Amino acid sequence: YRHSYVRKFPKKIYDLKLQISLLFCVNPQAYVWEYNIYLKKNATAEAVQVTHNGKVNEIHNGVPDWVYEEEVFASNEAIWWSPQGKYLAYLQINDTGVHNIEYSLYGNDQYPTTVFIPYPKVSKHPSDFTISFSLMVVPKSVGSGDHYLRTVTWVTDERLAVQWLPRRQDSVLLQIYDYDGTNWKETSQKSKTGWVGRYFPAAPYFAANNMSFYKVMSNDKGYKHLHYVDAVSIIVLLLFLYSLFKYLYYVSNEHMGRPGQRNLYKISISTSGHLAPECLTCSLYQDRCQYNSAYFSLNASFFRMDCYGPGLPLFTLMDNRGPAKGLSLHLSKAFHVVYVSPDLWYQMMFPPNFDSSKKYPLLIQVYGGPASQNIDYVFRLEWATYLCSTEKVIIASFDGRGSGYQGDEIMHAIYGRLGTYEVEDQISAVRKFIEMGFIDKNRIGMWGWSYGGYVTSMVLGSGSGLLKCGIAVAPVAKWEYYDAVYTERYMHRPEENMESYKNSTVTDRAKNFKSVQYMLVHGTADDNVHFQQAAQIAKALVENQVDFEAMWYTDKDHGLSGKARYHLYTHLNHFLQNCFAEKK
């Protein structure tokens, strides 16, 4: 961490307002155009402009800005209709005080254009964050400091529920508010070990009394379960909610305790309590289907069983009074999942005609970000499948500390120290793979995209000597360069955690790249992980006289879509062929 960067941080991060408009319409419609909201009484009526101050990169009405869309709502919508369409709540964001990220869009003209996006990065001064609300009072427990709006849920046409997060995101407050101001209720939840929720707190699902609600939260042991919250108590139930008549339906990985599985469960509810859960998919097509979901008819008489693997995906219509006849095919598994330790899992894909007496090159696919999961039973056809089947490369993935679906203790192990345990565990996994006897220890590579590119770079820069090569696509170089909402959720602000910020940088490990083959890839128009990140890695490598390969994709964003995607995998394949070439 270097103080010279602090002066570039924004003076203000957000200014938010939640507005509630009263409508007298039948089947009303709303849309956003040029950051203003328009209403129509019906599909053929003339539109009425509701807001007039919308302006790109300054005032957003009804749509989030970049960081709210990416890190808070996971949606590009910020308007919420009441159940009968009587009221419309919408978010107004004022970004006039937010520092812009700028990058060139080259296009085909004589001069490139410059793109400006308000993008709040981690900030040193807590007073830089401001928020204001109209018609609703922000709870004092969060309103006294910097905070975020997380969810807006209409309970009835006159009752609204809003979730608030403090800037640290280690607690959440759910506020139930009646439009006439006569009824208030606040329910808070605080994490004991890290941030709240998986990435962020789950939305509430309200019961028939319009005041109690269901919500997925961590229990006392740190595992995500469905809770029922009423006026006086919180009752633990189970994971994920389909609240239909007398039953609860949920999807869980609890069967046999395997985090990579998903099955559908049913609980019968009565006034005296609930019965033990019944698994509806655990015994169906077990060789083929171990990762399942469901899509229900309106009255839950039928559901579509969605099987995603490990065999070919299968969709079967099921009668809720008994299973419907479905297509049953037996396919051999494309991979197997076994223990690395009592808590951590890995996954391997073997080439055709695999012979354990031979030595194979190994490529490790990594993501490793907080709450992520690489190890599951989902069937996929991807670049790794080609490498395994055609290039005869063993493909492995590993979920270490920091990963999700194994409880908060494992997930929160990297809280406040990104770039530590999730990196160390990947290195430990490589050693375990070598011990299996069929891995060529001189031909081991790793690759990842985004956070996976960051972990790959940190592993290569660790100086472990285990890897011959690595590929980092759109990696983070320093967390000071990334957005405030994501980074501070896991790392707090730099002034609170300066040593961890310093230890989490790729650039400080540049000298250790001399003994590995490194491929750095980035899009020049990446609005998420900015090209600045790759530029700083490249600069550090050059300053340390490290030879490396690099590929940039002009005017491409974080996804490197279109023809760039085809070019990317062809280019990476050539890089790996060189890395895994046997010495003669």
Side-chain angles (χ1 to χ4, degrees), residues 242 244 249-250 264-265 280 294-304 320:
Y242 287 97
L244 299 169
Y249 297 90
Y250 67 96
L264 176 67
Y265 291 82
L280 302 181
Y295 179 71
F296 285 87
S297 62
L298 291 178
N299 62 4
S301 295
F302 296 88
F303 67 89
R304 186 188 71 203
N320 211 7

Side-chain angles (χ1 to χ4, degrees), residues 212-327:
S212 303
F213 59 89
Y214 299 92
K215 191 169 182 288
V216 175
M217 300 183 287
S218 295
N219 65 4
D220 291 339
K221 296 182 179 180
Y223 289 90
K224 299 291 185 291
H225 286 277
L226 181 66
H227 293 66
Y228 176 75
V229 183
D230 63 17
V232 296
S233 63
I234 299 177
I235 305 171
V236 178
L237 293 178
L238 290 160
L239 183 67
F240 209 75
L241 171 67
Y242 287 97
S243 184
L244 299 169
F245 301 98
K246 298 180 181 179
Y247 305 101
L248 287 177
Y249 297 90
Y250 67 96
V251 175
S252 173
N253 63 346
E254 67 184 72
H255 180 61
M256 297 176 65
R258 294 180 177 176
Q261 289 184 318
R262 300 290 187 275
N263 277 296
L264 176 67
Y265 291 82
K266 174 182 179 180
I267 299 179
S268 298
I269 304 295
S270 67
T271 56
S272 59
H274 60 85
L275 301 179
E278 173 190 359
C279 185
L280 302 181
T281 59
C282 290
S283 60
L284 297 176
Y285 318 128
Q286 293 184 54
D287 288 341
R288 182 172 180 174
C289 300
Q290 297 184 44
Y291 196 104
N292 304 293
S293 186
Y295 179 71
F296 285 87
S297 62
L298 291 178
N299 62 4
S301 295
F302 296 88
F303 67 89
R304 186 188 71 203
M305 173 185 162
D306 298 351
C307 154
Y308 296 104
L312 289 172
L314 175 68
F315 299 89
T316 307
L317 180 64
M318 308 293 289
D319 188 326
N320 211 7
R321 297 164 296 182
K325 293 181 179 180
L327 179 64

Side-chain angles (χ1 to χ4, degrees), residues 29 52 58 105 124 185 291 300 328 330 381 432 450 473:
Q29 300 175 354
H52 297 80
E58 293 186 10
L105 199 65
K124 187 174 182 178
K185 179 186 175 185
Y291 196 104
S328 179
H330 179 82
L381 289 174
K432 291 284 186 180
S450 195
V473 181

